[in-house]
Amino acid sequence: MVTGVEKQNFRIVISGYYGFYNSGDEAVLRSILLALEEQSKLAGVRIIPIVLSGDPAWTSQMYGVESVHRMQPSEVWKALKGSDGLISGGGSLLQDATSAKTIPYYTGVIKLAQWLGKPTFIYSQGIGPVNRRWMDPLIRNVMRKSVYVSVRDAQSAELLGRIGVPRNRIEVVPDPVMGLPLPASAAAVSEAAAASADKLPVLGVSLRHWRKDEEDLARAIDALAELASRRAVRLRFLPFHTPDDTETSKLVMERLNGRLGSHGSITELAAPGDDPQQMLLEVSRCDALFGMRLHALIYAANREVPMLGLSYDPKIDQFLHRLGLKAVGTTEQLDAAVFADSAELLLDDAEGWKRDHRDAIDRLKQQSQQPAQQIVQLLRQNISR
């Protein structure tokens, strides 16, 4: 711990896609909170988070932090005005693929903090896609005026550079969830889980609705059925965004009925609740994972679970590339035989996969603390001026 420095308290507002029961985004928040706590203790200061949330009461109960409603301007204004700074991130906040309102909202929150004279910090964000060129100035302006800018992949840094953000001001770091620990109760594995009688290998499955015609899900079903026709496997569906992923998982499980072969394969639906660390624990119990959700793949990497990624967005390919991997297929193309071959390799030689990718995973885990460390140092420097 730093000595000779009077301990300081810093009230920091955190903006992101929080309070919507999406396990990936909630994992980002949990990871940021834990990293800030760890780094502030090392620096001899205290961070008091105030989270902007879609469900402030739920967020406060889940994480034990102050929270205000992200869509109530007066509450956001009051929180920022009484703060020592704003953290924006992580996740895919600055993109216009899901809505034209997303970038104006998040840059608006950053701009408001800057108008109030508060330092702003960009925490491991995934930038893009940005298809509407009129949004470039919104992003460029707030990034240039931020005290610290970090993104979660080189492609995000390149995008910011193209729109005019100085490249030497951008730090490329891992997604915060690479540093998320298992829950404290993880050592106490339930007797039911530990005493599974069938001992089937577990393939975690994380799917989401993407194509309106559901052809991507149809191909995924064919691929899973092909694997089940070759060997016995437990297909454990992991809903990362409830209730949407739960409904998708149930749909896929229903359509797999009668297609699981004669080897004794089964399907089941996990129900870890809303705590992201409980979902991380669920992923850690898988022998391999087939994931469409980005954070399903990040959870798997975090726990060294061999993975097969199904790409629906460049962010999937970008993350897999950092591990030296390629997607097994996309929402436009997935060969059932190739998938089954790849899945069998992972199930038969998980240790080989871990040996091949452990160094890359360890490197990402170590680097995941960098944004919190930098932010705490910058806050202390600012207060001492």
Side-chain angles (χ1 to χ4, degrees):
M1 180 173 291
V2 176
T3 57
V5 177
E6 182 181 352
K7 185 166 183 173
Q8 300 287 344
N9 294 335
F10 298 100
R11 293 178 60 83
I12 302 298
V13 175
I14 303 178
S15 169
Y17 190 70
Y18 308 133
F20 294 96
Y21 323 113
N22 183 322
S23 182
D25 290 289
E26 297 305 326
V28 166
L29 177 56
R30 175 83 79 182
S31 301
I32 290 174
L33 292 172
L34 290 173
L36 289 172
E37 181 180 22
E38 181 176 342
Q39 294 302 321
S40 61
K41 284 181 179 178
L42 290 172
V45 299
R46 181 179 175 225
I47 300 292
I48 303 171
I50 306 97
V51 178
L52 306 185
S53 170
D55 187 341
W58 179 84
T59 295
S60 291
Q61 181 179 22
M62 175 63 70
Y63 303 106
V65 298
E66 294 182 38
S67 183
V68 301
H69 203 289
R70 70 199 298 270
M71 298 305 292
Q72 293 294 329
S74 61
E75 293 185 19
V76 175
W77 172 278
K78 184 177 179 181
L80 288 170
K81 190 170 179 59
S83 76
D84 296 295
L86 167 76
I87 288 173
S88 179
S92 303
L93 304 185
L94 300 182
Q95 50 79 26
D96 62 359
T98 55
S99 171
K101 299 177 182 179
T102 305
I103 291 173
Y105 171 79
Y106 289 110
T107 57
V109 173
I110 299 169
K111 192 63 178 174
L112 178 57
Q114 292 170 347
W115 279 340
L116 290 168
K118 308 299 181 180
T120 56
F121 311 95
I122 311 302
Y123 199 122
S124 187
Q125 284 204 26
I127 313 295
V130 182
N131 299 304
R132 299 166 177 86
R133 295 277 65 84
W134 62 267
M135 292 192 182
D136 290 354
L138 300 180
I139 299 172
R140 179 171 58 246
N141 182 270
V142 297
M143 290 289 174
R144 282 178 167 178
K145 293 182 180 179
S146 288
V147 175
Y148 173 73
V149 177
S150 63
V151 295
R152 70 184 179 197
D153 51 65
Q155 291 80 2
S156 294
E158 290 168 7
L159 191 158
L160 290 181
R162 286 198 303 271
I163 67 174
V165 180
R167 184 61 182 83
N168 61 2
R169 295 198 59 239
I170 306 167
E171 187 171 37
V172 178
V173 298
D175 187 286
V177 179
M178 283 303 301
L180 184 67
L182 288 171
S185 60
V189 179
S190 69
E191 290 183 10
S196 176
D198 53 48
K199 302 297 183 184
L200 294 179
V202 178
L203 179 70
V205 182
S206 167
L207 297 174
R208 61 171 296 175
H209 263 100
W210 187 251
R211 288 177 58 118
K212 291 183 179 179
D213 62 9
E214 297 185 350
E215 284 299 311
D216 51 344
L217 293 181
R219 284 187 282 271
I221 291 166
D222 289 342
L224 293 168
E226 174 65 21
L227 175 63
S229 74
R230 300 184 183 188
R231 66 194 297 160
V233 65
R234 179 187 295 270
L235 301 176
R236 187 155 176 78
F237 286 80
L238 306 167
F240 270 72
H241 190 177
T242 56
D244 296 353
D245 288 6
T246 302
E247 294 171 1
T248 301
S249 297
K250 288 179 178 178
L251 173 68
V252 172
M253 292 168 69
E254 180 181 336
R255 292 182 182 177
L256 278 168
N257 279 342
R259 299 190 61 188
L260 293 177
S262 59
H263 299 290
S265 293
I266 61 174
T267 63
E268 60 188 19
L269 181 64
D274 296 316
D275 189 331
Q277 287 175 287
Q278 291 299 322
M279 179 63 90
L280 183 65
L281 181 59
E282 286 286 353
V283 171
S284 75
R285 292 170 175 165
C286 296
D287 297 296
L289 181 134
F290 173 42
M292 190 174 172
R293 289 280 186 188
L294 172 63
H295 280 97
L297 301 172
I298 294 174
Y299 278 35
N302 179 306
R303 303 318 306 167
E304 293 188 1
V305 173
M307 71 189 76
L308 297 170
L310 182 66
S311 179
Y312 74 96
D313 185 282
K315 65 186 180 183
I316 303 296
D317 304 284
Q318 291 158 9
F319 175 70
L320 292 172
H321 177 72
R322 296 189 77 170
L323 297 179
L325 299 171
K326 291 184 179 179
V328 71
T330 71
T331 48
E332 306 303 315
Q333 188 277 330
L334 176 63
D335 185 285
V338 170
F339 168 84
D341 289 344
S342 302
E344 287 197 292
L345 282 174
L346 295 187
L347 293 172
D348 290 338
D349 189 22
E351 289 305 315
W353 187 95
K354 293 176 184 180
R355 285 195 304 272
D356 290 343
H357 301 286
R358 183 168 287 139
D359 287 348
I361 290 171
D362 287 344
R363 187 161 53 249
L364 294 181
K365 282 187 172 184
Q366 291 166 9
Q367 294 170 351
S368 67
Q369 289 281 324
Q370 285 177 212
Q373 185 180 50
Q374 293 276 21
I375 290 168
V376 169
Q377 289 177 356
L378 288 165
L379 286 168
R380 292 178 71 246
Q381 290 170 9
N382 187 56
I383 206 73
S384 63
R385 289 173 183 168

